[in-house]
Amino acid sequence: MTGRATPHLPSQGAELGTAAPFYPRLGDLARDTARDGRIGVVVALPRTGTTTYHLRPPGGGDEWSAPVDGTTLQPVPAQVTHITPAKRDVVYDHRAQQGALPVIVHYEDGGTSEAVLVLTPGQLELYAYQVGRIIELREKARGGTA
């Protein structure tokens, strides 16, 4: 999750933990575990006299129902679009023989969260080479001598 409410998950906020029950609202995306994880948009809520949520595939199609208690429904988190380095220093743990690079995870809804990219010595060497290669390609594109 992005740590903030998303446009397609208005009922999920930063204050909710992973154990909080999910009570979808109109327009939320929900994954229905009773339908093999099928994803749908909530198009009707349970009311007095009705005992189900109604969902429809995001692109349209046949509706289906889910129980009023919402136990088969799960929120659909926003997808990650990209990850960028955070403006904080890296750390190397010599005991674990791992490097840690603080990063910012960016989501399709515009939200972000902080994380850490943990790298083994082999991965550190590989990425050092790859970053050096990116710098060479940048210089070449600028008309440099790389």
Side-chain angles (χ1 to χ4, degrees):
M1 300 294 301
T2 62
R4 68 179 184 96
T6 63
H8 66 275
L9 288 175
S11 63
Q12 296 296 101
E15 70 282 357
L16 297 177
T18 56
F22 176 57
Y23 299 107
R25 295 191 301 186
L26 210 54
D28 280 358
L29 285 179
R31 180 179 313 279
D32 191 347
T33 59
R35 299 276 180 151
D36 295 323
R38 188 173 181 192
I39 294 175
V41 178
V42 177
V43 294
L45 300 173
R47 293 183 275 224
T48 305
T50 63
T51 59
T52 60
Y53 286 93
H54 292 272
L55 296 95
R56 180 179 298 135
D62 295 333
E63 288 185 17
W64 74 92
S65 299
V68 68
D69 62 6
T71 55
T72 66
L73 300 178
Q74 298 175 340
V76 177
Q79 298 296 304
V80 173
T81 59
H82 62 285
I83 299 172
T84 57
K87 294 182 179 178
R88 294 198 332 250
D89 203 4
V90 298
V91 175
Y92 184 77
D93 182 344
H94 70 279
R95 291 174 298 183
Q97 294 187 6
Q98 295 176 334
L101 172 67
V103 295
I104 305 293
V105 181
H106 300 264
Y107 298 91
E108 66 185 354
D109 66 353
T112 60
S113 63
E114 292 186 23
V116 177
L117 176 62
V118 177
L119 302 164
T120 65
Q123 292 167 327
L124 287 167
E125 291 176 18
L126 173 64
Y127 291 133
Y129 168 77
Q130 290 176 330
V131 168
R133 181 75 178 120
I134 291 171
I135 293 169
E136 288 174 10
L137 291 170
R138 181 188 67 180
E139 289 301 315
K140 184 177 180 181
R142 288 182 173 175
T145 59

